[in-house]
Amino acid sequence: MQQSEFKIIITQYKDLNELPENDRQLIMAAREIAFSAYAPYSGFKVGAALRMSDGRIITGNNQENASSPVGCCAERTALYWANANFPEKPVLALAITAIDRAGNLAAHLSPCGTCRQALLETEIRFNQPIRVLLDSRNQIDVLNNVKSLLPLSFNGECVI
Ligand code: THU
């Protein structure tokens, strides 16, 4: 019998100003696009911003539907647009944020399992770790890659 431990490193910032300029820009882009999310059912408006290898920023937000499974999260809206239009460009970083029903930054936010799997595909496809910035009301959590958000993930093989 053997036990293994999986360690996730999360760097936490209390203040946006502690982050490097390009991270701050990405978070501000996510906050801006969150306002134009289509979220009449949940009232939870999510914004995602991707920094591509050429410095370009691509944004997306959640798009809901009366038939709820048809809707799409902000992360995949941005990611699939990026991969469709720039199939040769790796994604270097992702920022996500959300505005709650009261119009405040959401207290907590982390990508859903489906988005983690979708993001992991891009990380593996380009062999390029995607820095993940989770922007919430009281802090910003930074992870070095998507893989750490999805231990024991499915990739045809196990990619711990
Ligand atoms: N949502 C996202 O867009 N991204 C996440 O990381 C979590 C959830 C959306 C889906 C749905 O439109 C709304 O937030 C409430 O779940």
Side-chain angles (χ1 to χ4, degrees), residues 101-133:
R101 268 185 196 285
N104 299 314
L105 272 185
H108 297 288
L109 182 63
S110 193
C112 76
T114 301
C115 287
R116 291 175 196 214
Q117 182 75 29
L119 289 159
L120 185 69
E121 185 77 23
T122 297
E123 187 167 273
I124 292 169
R125 168 179 172 185
F126 293 102
N127 193 24
Q128 168 63 56
I130 301 175
R131 180 174 166 83
V132 180
L133 308 160

Side-chain angles (χ1 to χ4, degrees), residues 5-115:
E5 200 176 341
F6 186 80
K7 191 166 155 189
I8 300 175
I9 298 170
I10 307 175
T11 310
Q12 296 170 319
Y13 297 87
K14 285 285 169 206
D15 186 342
L16 196 61
N17 292 316
E18 291 176 49
L19 286 155
E21 170 65 18
N22 60 0
D23 284 346
R24 279 207 301 274
Q25 269 183 355
L26 205 60
I27 289 171
M28 294 315 289
R31 288 185 185 182
E32 190 182 339
I33 200 73
F35 283 99
S36 43
Y38 179 64
Y41 304 102
S42 70
F44 193 69
K45 295 181 156 201
V46 184
L50 301 168
R51 182 153 42 79
M52 308 301 287
S53 54
D54 62 356
R56 175 191 315 264
I57 290 179
I58 288 170
T59 55
N61 50 31
N62 51 332
Q63 297 294 318
E64 296 186 347
N65 192 281
S67 171
S68 53
V70 176
C72 190
C73 292
E75 295 90 325
R76 275 172 294 140
T77 304
L79 184 72
Y80 289 153
W81 198 91
N83 287 338
N85 288 281
F86 303 103
E88 322 250 289
K89 291 199 197 309
V91 176
L92 302 188
L94 159 74
I96 60 171
T97 195
I99 300 159
D100 65 19
R101 268 185 196 285
N104 299 314
L105 272 185
H108 297 288
L109 182 63
S110 193
C112 76
T114 301
C115 287

